């Protein structure tokens, strides 16, 4: 029995919306609903956004949904990830979420995968009509964005998979629609991201003022000193307790208030506050776009919507421009200006901190030679001496340098200029 | 604070991610709140989910209707086997499972049978999918007992929220800027009532600012002429969704039913009348919009419910937490344009 036959009037509202006359639906379009229920849609992430996305898609006529998530359920998820119960703690999110929604909404199939998005390749991603992301890391977003852009074959329109990306943090969030190679992609907007909160090392070492400085001191300076062979595990409550006690002792030395166990955990694990309503709003915004794109019942978001609940309700929608020199979807290499006295080592440091590049462990090559490779060890050793050489001795002005990083499935092409 | 009022270690672990946002004091206030949700439709399902997950004290879901198959379209707390049961009774056990610490109860009465005193038991009354006359009656009862009132509704791809908190104060902390914050009015509804200074980090002091918002009841707000005072260019940007819901209420009060696409001419005229009553140019209403609005009457679309429900739920939590600027006082949601403007009327 198909979804339609088993509950003929469950979808009456959707069908009415999809068949209403208007500029985007010239004649009554009964096929729009069929198209919707035959489309394969992928949801990346089964957490705060993912749970909401799965619920909305299942109730919006999609019947063939896949979901990927590499995490297991934690007690702190339960204030918003409503498909999970206390008895589910420790189980894989993708599996539990899929089972819950399938039980609740008849006629919908959800195929879960408990693992990383990087485990799958183009042949997997090619089967979907739309990809909706509810991820919690910049790296993962860059990866899926680059993968989908790479898949686009101008000869084959079906190879273009719309990517709808949502993100939230506390009271704020955003939803955007990316049409790989046609519109601005995730990499194009990398420079919009804020810098990660880092404290200057001199403040941490010598002149702390905030409780966070004391915790960072315990984390970054004192732990490696006391336990040089042990890596800190921020899920281990004993480690957090040690950090807490060490930080509070330092704080009292400098008469600083505010070091708590909770703050210590927050700094160590880089915890981002999260609530149900922001996730509900952003996920639903993404799903309404998925519905519009899948059925052409309405113009879809062009292309970036920001939501802020900090000061009552505020949304701002704008078209983010595609970058010509975007390393992922652009066609030209981008210029990177340097000073003549920079060593290769300094250039690499600059690359890791430049907003628009954000590479953690870069390897650099020109067409003619390897400048510095992070691996394998023999090549790292062989190219290490280059780090102290001047860039001007290694690269001609205007020459293209290719920068790669193991976390990213693409290379950034920079034209070095001086 | 007595022991059973204090938040437990288990709750702190559960609510960790939200306590980091609004603090333990706000969480403790939320935990004592008693909320009434009227009409167990898709919008209520979403509001219930968000406020129960957040850990309010207790929730009553009131609805006298029975579950029909279209309810399964966008109401996540219902399953096929619920058809024929009372809507509130069917949804409540599943809402309860979201958070066993919240007391969730179903009331199968018809809302029109409740007297004013019924509403005095609640801290916040949320009335969804009701006609204007019912909303006004409930709003007046809430005012009588100094309770907060929310109204909300959807029509296909469109929705609205109305808020009446009578008088609401909230406090927040911020770094002191170049000029100290002054006491006194900021807008026609909001004023700064208190500023305290406290130690910040380094040289900057921190201000603890308390503001107060004053609200109008629905009956009075419906007569507001604020929009007529806008400049012509701003008037053209006002969302047609605002007069459309007013027209829906007018249609309901004269015919005692909801309009359907066959009622296009009558309904279009009502939308135009309400646009003019708001002091706005009729040009903001197109026939395509009216058709689109009409085709959605009575249709519940999941993402639309989630967005409006999310915004309403968060405002309810903000009011209980007393740290955030609340909605003052109308929000309309337009899924065609993905916009949610706020109007103070």
């Amino acid at each position: 029995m198909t979804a339609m036959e088993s509950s003929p009037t469950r979808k009456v509202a959707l069908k009415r919306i999809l068949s209403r006359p208007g500029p985007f639906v010239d004649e009554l379009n009964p096929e729009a609903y069929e198209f919707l229920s035959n489309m394969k849609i992928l949801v990346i992430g089964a957490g705060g956004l993912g749970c909401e996305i799965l619920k909305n898609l299942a109730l919006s006529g999609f019947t063939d949904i896949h979901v990927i998530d590499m995490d297991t359920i934690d007690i702190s998820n339960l204030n918003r990830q409503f498909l999970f119960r206390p008895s589910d703690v420790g189980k894989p999110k993708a599996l539990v979420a899929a089972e819950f929604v399938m039980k609740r909404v008849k006629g919908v199939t959800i195929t879960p995968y408990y693992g990383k998005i990087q485990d799958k390749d183009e042949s997997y991603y090619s089967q979907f009509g739309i990809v909706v992301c509810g991820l919690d890391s910049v790296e993962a977003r860059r990866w899926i964005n680059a993968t989908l852009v790479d898949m686009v074959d101008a000869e084959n329109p079906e190879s273009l998979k719309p990517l709808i990306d949502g993100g939230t943090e506390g009271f704020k969030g955003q939803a955007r629609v990316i049409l790989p190679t046609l519109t601005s992609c995730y990499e194009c907007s990398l420079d919009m991201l804020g810098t990660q909160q880092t404290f200057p090392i001199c403040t941490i070492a010598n002149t702390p003022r905030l409780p966070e400085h004391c915790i960072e001191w315990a984390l970054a300076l004192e732990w490696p000193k006391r336990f040089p062979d042990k890596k800190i595990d921020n899920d281990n409550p004993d480690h957090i307790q040690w950090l807490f006690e060490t930080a509070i002792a330092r704080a009292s030395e400098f008469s600083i208030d505010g070091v708590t166990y909770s703050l210590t955990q927050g700094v160590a694990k880089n915890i981002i506050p999260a609530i149900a309503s922001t996730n509900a709003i952003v996920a639903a915004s993404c799903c309404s776009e998925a519905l519009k794109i899948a059925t052409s019942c309405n113009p879809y978001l062009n292309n970036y919507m920001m939501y802020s609940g900090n000061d009552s309700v505020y949304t701002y929608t704008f078209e983010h421009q595609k970058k010509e020199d975007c390393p992922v979807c652009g066609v030209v290499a981008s210029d990177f200006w340097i000073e003549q006295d920079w060593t290769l080592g300094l250039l690499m440091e600059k690359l890791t901190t430049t907003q628009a590049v954000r590479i953690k462990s870069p390897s650099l090559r020109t067409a003619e030679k390897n400048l510095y490779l992070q691996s394998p060890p023999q090549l790292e050793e062989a190219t290490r001496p280059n780090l102290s050489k001047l860039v001007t001795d290694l690269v001609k002005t205007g020459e293209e340098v290719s920068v790669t990083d193991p976390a990213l499935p693409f290379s950034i092409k920079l034209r070095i200029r001086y | 604070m007595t022991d059973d009022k204090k938040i437990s270690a288990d709750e702190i672990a559960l609510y960790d991610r939200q306590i980091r946002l609004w603090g333990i004091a706000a969480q403790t206030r939320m935990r004592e709140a008693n909320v009434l949700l009227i009409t167990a439709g898709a919008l209520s399902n979403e509001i219930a989910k968000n406020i129960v997950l957040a850990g309010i004290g207790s929730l009553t879901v009131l609805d006298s209707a029975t579950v029909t198959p279209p309810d399964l379209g966008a109401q996540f707390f219902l399953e096929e086997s619920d058809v024929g049961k009372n809507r509130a009774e069917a949804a409540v056990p599943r809402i309860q499972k979201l958070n066993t610490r919240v007391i969730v109860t179903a009331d199968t009465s018809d809302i029109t049978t409740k007297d004013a005193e019924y509403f005095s038991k609640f801290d916040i009354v949320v009335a969804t999918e009701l006609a204007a006359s019912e909303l006004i009656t409930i709003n007046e009862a809430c005012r009588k007992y100094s309770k907060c009132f929310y109204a909300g509704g959807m029509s296909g791809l469109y929705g609205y929220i109305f808020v009446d908190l009578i008088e609401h104060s909230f406090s927040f902390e911020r770094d002191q800027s170049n000029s100290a914050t002054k006491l006194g009015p900021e807008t026609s509804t909001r004023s700064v009532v208190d500023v305290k200074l406290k130690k910040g980090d380094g040289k900057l002091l921190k201000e603890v600012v308390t503001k107060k918002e004053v609200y109008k009841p629905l009956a009075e707000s419906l007569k507001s002429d604020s929009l007529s005072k806008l400049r012509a260019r701003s008037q053209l940007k006002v969302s047609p969704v605002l007069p459309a819901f007013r027209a829906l209420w007018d249609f309901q009060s004269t015919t005692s039913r909801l309009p359907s696409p066959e009622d296009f001419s009558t309904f279009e005229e009502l939308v135009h009348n309400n646009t003019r009553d708001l002091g706005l140019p009729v040009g903001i209403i197109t026939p395509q919009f009216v058709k689109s609005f009409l085709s959605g009457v009575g249709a519940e679309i999941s993402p639309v419910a989630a967005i409006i429900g999310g915004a309403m739920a968060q405002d309810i939590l903000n009011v209980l937490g007393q740290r955030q600027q609340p909605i003052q006082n109308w929000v309309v949601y337009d899924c065609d344009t993905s916009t949610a403007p706020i109007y103070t009327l």
Side-chain angles (χ1 to χ4, degrees):
Chain A
M1 224 197 252
T2 63
M4 269 178 64
E5 290 159 36
S6 67
S7 11
T9 56
R10 178 166 70 122
K11 300 297 180 204
V12 67
L14 256 178
K15 284 186 184 171
R16 238 201 294 158
I17 299 299
L18 294 179
S19 56
R20 77 198 199 287
F24 277 72
V25 182
D26 288 316
E27 302 109 27
L28 293 177
N29 191 358
E31 277 137 33
Y33 184 76
E34 291 301 324
F35 186 73
L36 186 60
S37 35
N38 290 334
M39 176 187 280
K40 265 197 162 114
I41 188 163
L42 174 63
V43 179
I44 302 185
L49 282 168
C51 286
E52 293 278 345
I53 293 169
L54 288 172
K55 157 180 67 78
N56 296 337
L57 291 180
L59 293 176
S60 296
F62 292 92
T63 58
D64 190 351
I65 306 171
H66 289 236
V67 62
I68 302 179
D69 193 300
M70 64 184 207
D71 267 338
T72 54
I73 299 160
D74 178 71
I75 186 83
S76 64
N77 298 149
L78 302 184
N79 80 322
R80 61 203 185 278
Q81 298 173 26
F82 62 94
L83 301 177
F84 311 139
R85 300 285 171 263
S87 55
D88 294 323
V89 171
K91 294 188 195 159
K93 292 188 180 182
L95 304 183
V96 178
E99 205 186 310
F100 191 114
V101 179
M102 280 197 284
K103 230 170 110 185
R104 181 61 53 83
V105 187
K106 289 285 176 283
V108 176
T109 311
I110 306 189
T111 311
Y113 174 66
Y114 168 41
K116 297 202 185 99
I117 49 176
Q118 291 88 347
D119 295 344
K120 301 291 195 186
D121 61 13
E122 276 191 22
S123 60
Y124 173 80
Y125 292 107
S126 303
Q127 62 182 305
F128 302 106
I130 295 176
V131 179
V132 186
C133 281
L135 285 164
D136 61 356
S137 88
V138 167
E139 244 172 45
R141 286 186 176 95
R142 289 175 86 181
W143 191 91
I144 188 67
N145 176 69
T147 303
L148 293 179
V149 168
D150 233 16
M151 268 164 56
V152 177
D153 171 7
E155 314 284 305
N156 175 14
E158 302 233 331
S159 65
L160 198 158
K161 315 291 181 183
L163 171 60
I164 304 172
D165 180 56
T168 65
E169 186 176 319
F171 287 114
K172 296 192 214 177
Q174 80 272 347
R176 65 190 296 186
V177 171
I178 294 170
L179 301 177
T181 70
L182 298 181
T183 67
S184 144
C185 80
Y186 188 74
E187 199 78 12
C188 292
S189 64
L190 214 53
D191 53 10
M192 274 177 66
L193 293 172
T195 37
Q196 275 239 266
Q197 162 118 85
T198 48
F199 304 112
I201 203 84
C202 48
T203 309
I204 298 181
N206 304 316
T207 51
R209 299 182 316 273
L210 298 174
E212 286 88 343
H213 296 157
C214 303
I215 299 165
E216 265 303 320
W217 177 84
L219 181 63
L221 296 182
E222 198 65 0
W223 177 282
K225 227 205 273 181
R226 301 269 213 94
F227 312 107
D229 299 319
K230 216 196 313 184
K231 190 161 178 259
I232 201 162
D233 173 9
N234 57 29
D235 281 320
N236 183 333
D238 292 329
H239 290 197
I240 305 286
Q241 184 64 26
W242 184 91
L243 284 176
F244 169 55
E245 287 167 9
T246 311
I248 211 169
R250 181 162 174 85
S252 70
E253 250 183 80
F254 288 87
S255 308
I256 296 172
D257 295 321
V259 176
T260 61
Y261 185 87
S262 169
L263 186 66
T264 307
Q265 247 186 337
V267 172
K269 294 169 80 156
N270 196 25
I271 291 179
I272 294 172
I275 52 177
S277 62
T278 311
N279 281 307
I281 291 168
V282 170
S285 302
C286 291
C287 292
S288 75
E289 295 311 314
L291 180 61
K292 293 183 209 174
I293 291 172
T295 61
S296 299
C297 71
N298 227 61
Y300 52 82
L301 177 68
N302 183 22
N303 55 28
Y304 203 122
M305 184 205 85
M306 303 185 99
Y307 159 76
S308 174
N310 260 326
D311 194 18
S312 192
V313 173
Y314 178 73
T315 61
Y316 176 62
T317 304
F318 66 100
E319 185 184 341
H320 189 269
Q321 300 294 335
K322 192 173 189 293
K323 277 206 180 125
E324 232 194 357
D325 61 356
C326 171
V328 171
C329 76
V331 287
V332 301
S334 56
D335 282 340
F336 195 87
W337 286 87
I338 65 161
E339 303 290 341
Q340 304 228 6
D341 60 354
W342 284 12
T343 59
L344 186 66
L346 182 59
L347 169 62
M348 280 178 49
E349 215 183 286
K350 297 282 184 190
L351 286 176
T352 54
T353 54
T354 301
Q355 287 297 77
V357 175
R358 282 188 188 242
I359 292 239
K360 286 207 188 113
S361 27
S363 294
L364 289 81
R365 296 170 183 78
T366 62
E368 292 164 19
K369 56 180 182 276
N370 294 325
L371 297 176
Y372 179 70
L373 300 180
Q374 302 268 358
S375 67
Q378 312 93 282
L379 289 177
E380 195 279 326
E381 219 183 305
T383 53
R384 208 186 304 156
N386 287 340
L387 290 178
S388 44
K389 293 192 187 152
L390 290 176
V391 179
T392 51
D393 289 339
L394 297 164
V395 178
K396 298 190 276 288
T397 182
E399 194 175 348
E400 224 175 76
V401 170
S402 170
V403 183
T404 54
D405 181 288
L408 301 170
F410 59 90
S411 68
I412 297 181
K413 293 191 179 27
L414 298 175
R415 224 182 354 248
I416 300 293
R417 290 209 179 281
Y418 52 85
Chain B
M1 205 178 279
T2 60
D3 268 349
D4 54 33
K5 278 202 170 200
K6 266 171 78 177
I7 210 161
S8 70
D10 277 348
E11 284 171 288
I12 292 180
L14 175 64
Y15 301 133
D16 179 84
R17 297 300 187 265
Q18 63 199 44
I19 290 174
R20 286 173 192 277
L21 192 60
W22 53 56
I24 277 207
Q27 184 65 47
T28 312
R29 285 191 281 271
M30 286 171 197
R31 192 171 169 270
E32 286 156 33
N34 190 5
V35 179
L36 172 66
L37 248 187
I38 305 168
T39 314
L43 187 49
S44 278
N45 271 232
E46 288 288 336
I47 297 168
K49 162 177 63 72
N50 296 330
I51 61 179
V52 167
L53 284 173
I56 57 167
S58 47
L59 174 68
T60 302
V61 181
L62 186 149
D63 201 330
S64 56
T66 43
V67 179
T68 60
D71 287 325
L72 301 173
Q75 293 172 36
F76 191 68
F77 291 115
L78 297 182
E79 287 177 15
E80 277 184 352
S81 53
D82 295 324
V83 173
K85 295 186 195 162
N86 172 276
R87 275 207 305 202
E89 281 182 336
V92 156
R94 305 208 183 92
I95 298 171
Q96 178 69 82
K97 288 210 183 103
L98 293 174
N99 190 343
T100 50
R101 291 170 174 80
V102 182
I103 305 166
V104 187
T105 339
D107 186 332
T108 60
S109 329
D110 183 328
I111 187 62
T112 55
T113 63
K114 300 294 191 190
D115 61 11
E117 210 192 319
Y118 173 75
F119 301 97
S120 65
K121 299 186 298 186
F122 303 97
D123 299 302
I124 302 196
V125 174
V126 185
T128 69
E129 309 298 355
L130 293 183
S133 56
E134 290 161 347
L135 292 173
I136 290 171
T137 308
I138 297 169
N139 186 193
E140 278 169 5
C142 287
R143 281 218 157 213
K144 184 172 171 191
Y145 294 102
S146 301
K147 306 296 178 180
C148 296
F149 172 78
Y150 281 81
M154 299 193 296
S155 170
L157 300 174
Y158 313 97
Y160 81 90
I161 303 171
F162 170 80
V163 182
D164 178 12
L165 309 175
I166 312 173
E167 235 179 56
H168 179 75
S169 296
F170 55 101
S171 300
F172 56 91
E173 223 177 80
R174 65 180 174 205
D175 288 331
Q176 199 182 38
S177 68
N178 291 331
S179 49
T181 304
K182 292 197 185 70
L183 300 179
E186 279 187 337
T187 70
S188 59
T189 60
R190 185 175 72 239
S191 40
V192 178
V193 297
D194 190 48
V195 181
K196 286 195 173 62
L197 293 177
K198 65 183 244 191
K199 192 182 89 149
D201 51 279
K203 291 209 186 90
L204 287 172
L205 288 174
K206 280 203 192 281
E207 287 181 331
V208 180
V209 180
T210 304
K211 296 190 184 184
K212 187 173 77 171
E213 282 274 9
V214 176
Y215 286 80
K216 275 187 195 164
L218 180 59
E220 201 186 316
S221 181
L222 286 172
K223 300 194 194 109
S224 165
D225 63 352
S226 311
L227 295 177
S228 65
K229 304 196 177 111
L230 291 175
R231 283 201 319 252
R233 253 165 106 194
S234 305
Q235 287 189 343
L236 286 171
K237 293 195 192 139
V238 174
S239 174
V241 178
L242 186 63
F245 274 104
R246 308 250 174 133
L248 185 63
W249 283 337
D250 283 348
F251 190 96
Q252 269 180 303
S253 70
T254 50
T255 64
S256 302
R257 65 173 174 89
L258 289 171
S260 64
E262 289 76 47
D263 300 303
F264 179 82
S265 332
T266 321
F267 190 73
E268 192 188 31
E269 204 185 315
L270 285 174
V271 181
H272 287 172
N273 291 346
N274 275 282
T275 306
R276 279 186 284 261
D277 287 346
L278 282 164
L280 299 168
V282 174
I284 65 169
I285 311 295
T286 63
Q288 294 98 299
F289 168 75
V290 177
K291 272 201 196 114
S292 184
F293 189 91
L294 262 184
S295 70
V297 171
E300 296 188 315
I301 304 295
S302 165
V304 178
I307 290 170
I308 300 168
M312 281 181 86
Q314 194 51 48
D315 209 67
I316 290 165
L317 294 170
N318 289 347
V319 163
L320 296 171
Q322 293 170 29
R323 288 167 48 117
Q324 302 286 135
Q325 164 71 49
I327 292 171
Q328 173 63 285
N329 57 352
W330 289 87
V331 180
V332 294
Y333 175 67
D334 184 340
C335 192
D336 280 339
T337 55
S338 301
T339 52
I342 292 187
Y343 300 112
T344 304
L345 304 173

